[in-house]
Amino acid sequence: DGGITQSPKYLFRKEGQNVTLSCEQNLNHDAMYWYRQDPGQGLRLIYYSQIVNDFQKGDIAEGYSVSREKKESFPLTVTSAQKNPTAFYLCASSTPLGEAQHEQYFGPGTRLTVT
Amino acid sequence: DAKTTQPPSMDCAEGRAANLPCNHSTISGNEYVYWYRQIHSQGPQYIIHGLKNNETNEMASLIITEDRKSSTLILPHATLRDTAVYYCIVRVAMGNRDDKIIFGKGTRLHILP
């Protein structure tokens, strides 16, 4: 089945540790996105990438880093510089707007808790 | 910042049509209107999108005003499973390097039995 996978579903870390969240898609989508969601809030864009080896900062990129070495993968690293890392992290992918099917597909999310 | 404005919450009786409004008064001519919904603790799910014309699919209908400054998502016969947060967004670019998709806070729809 085609789709987006995020792992793990729940992740616990100690403060001061870097942690990498996985996002893989087999939809052959060029674009991939990372969002953060806090309780009762909407989604805020962290980073996005339209093509392999290229990515852009979103609205809240500070304390995060990404890589896009393969089309299928867009891992997000939450660094120790991120002041409030505890949140629900969502990965999404889409085709470019000019193509027929250009809605975003979302993964199931990773809930990160840092103590 | 999100380019859309939605009411924070709405109620609808089960079996009735749920009409969710969205204002996007600064929308550009090449921007699409998209609707997604998010059930608690899951990833958002695509519902429908449109540019100028009204659209309908198996999930919902999308009515876009002639001036494109607002739209309404219609769930024709709401069920309890439609309880979710509904996001209206506009897509800001035509698939170039700066293409990004911004979500606002959405509308929390409660379907009442």
Side-chain angles (χ1 to χ4, degrees):
Chain A
D1 288 338
I4 301 178
T5 57
Q6 290 184 245
S7 60
K9 189 168 178 62
Y10 298 96
L11 189 55
F12 298 89
R13 280 293 183 271
K14 294 289 187 185
E15 192 174 333
Q17 293 179 335
N18 292 353
V19 59
T20 297
L21 281 60
S22 166
C23 178
E24 304 278 333
Q25 54 98 0
N26 60 4
L27 300 166
N28 200 33
H29 285 169
D30 289 307
M32 297 187 73
Y33 308 80
W34 273 105
Y35 294 90
R36 168 187 173 132
Q37 188 172 38
D38 294 287
Q41 302 296 313
L43 283 68
R44 291 187 291 168
L45 183 65
I46 305 173
Y47 268 99
Y48 60 108
S49 167
Q50 292 297 324
I51 198 168
V52 174
N53 292 322
D54 190 25
F55 48 82
Q56 301 289 313
K57 291 182 179 180
D59 298 319
I60 55 164
E62 186 175 350
Y64 299 97
S65 66
V66 293
S67 62
R68 188 83 188 278
E69 296 176 2
K70 298 187 298 182
K71 188 176 186 178
E72 304 79 18
S73 178
F74 191 40
L76 174 75
T77 297
V78 184
T79 74
S80 57
Q82 168 49 236
K83 291 182 170 44
N84 296 298
T86 294
F88 186 47
Y89 290 88
L90 286 158
C91 178
S93 71
S94 73
T95 57
L97 189 63
E99 298 190 17
Q101 298 292 332
H102 46 81
E103 64 267 26
Q104 277 185 317
Y105 291 81
F106 282 83
T110 292
R111 192 167 297 279
L112 173 65
T113 303
V114 177
T115 57
Chain B
D1 290 340
K3 297 180 67 174
T4 62
T5 305
Q6 299 176 253
S9 66
M10 292 182 64
D11 292 337
C12 179
E14 190 177 15
R16 297 293 186 120
N19 297 283
L20 292 91
C22 179
N23 287 323
H24 31 80
S25 58
T26 60
I27 192 170
S28 300
N30 62 350
E31 289 179 326
Y32 288 74
V33 179
Y34 285 76
W35 283 84
Y36 290 79
R37 73 179 183 185
Q38 186 178 24
I39 296 169
H40 182 64
S41 294
Q42 297 181 20
Q45 174 192 22
Y46 164 81
I47 300 173
I48 199 168
H49 73 277
L51 182 62
K52 297 179 184 177
N53 300 321
N54 299 338
E55 302 288 344
T56 296
N57 63 20
E58 65 278 4
M59 290 182 69
S61 295
L62 174 60
I63 309 297
I64 302 174
T65 58
E66 193 169 341
D67 63 8
R68 301 211 323 125
K69 293 186 177 181
S70 65
S71 61
T72 301
L73 178 75
I74 302 173
L75 308 178
H77 304 287
T79 71
L80 295 176
R81 286 180 294 182
D82 292 323
T83 292
V85 177
Y86 287 77
Y87 296 98
C88 167
I89 66 171
V90 297
R91 187 107 177 227
V92 300
M94 287 293 291
N96 61 27
R97 187 168 181 261
D98 295 323
D99 189 7
K100 59 181 180 179
I101 301 172
I102 305 294
F103 283 73
K105 294 185 178 179
T107 295
R108 188 172 295 275
L109 177 66
H110 299 276
I111 305 301
L112 307 174

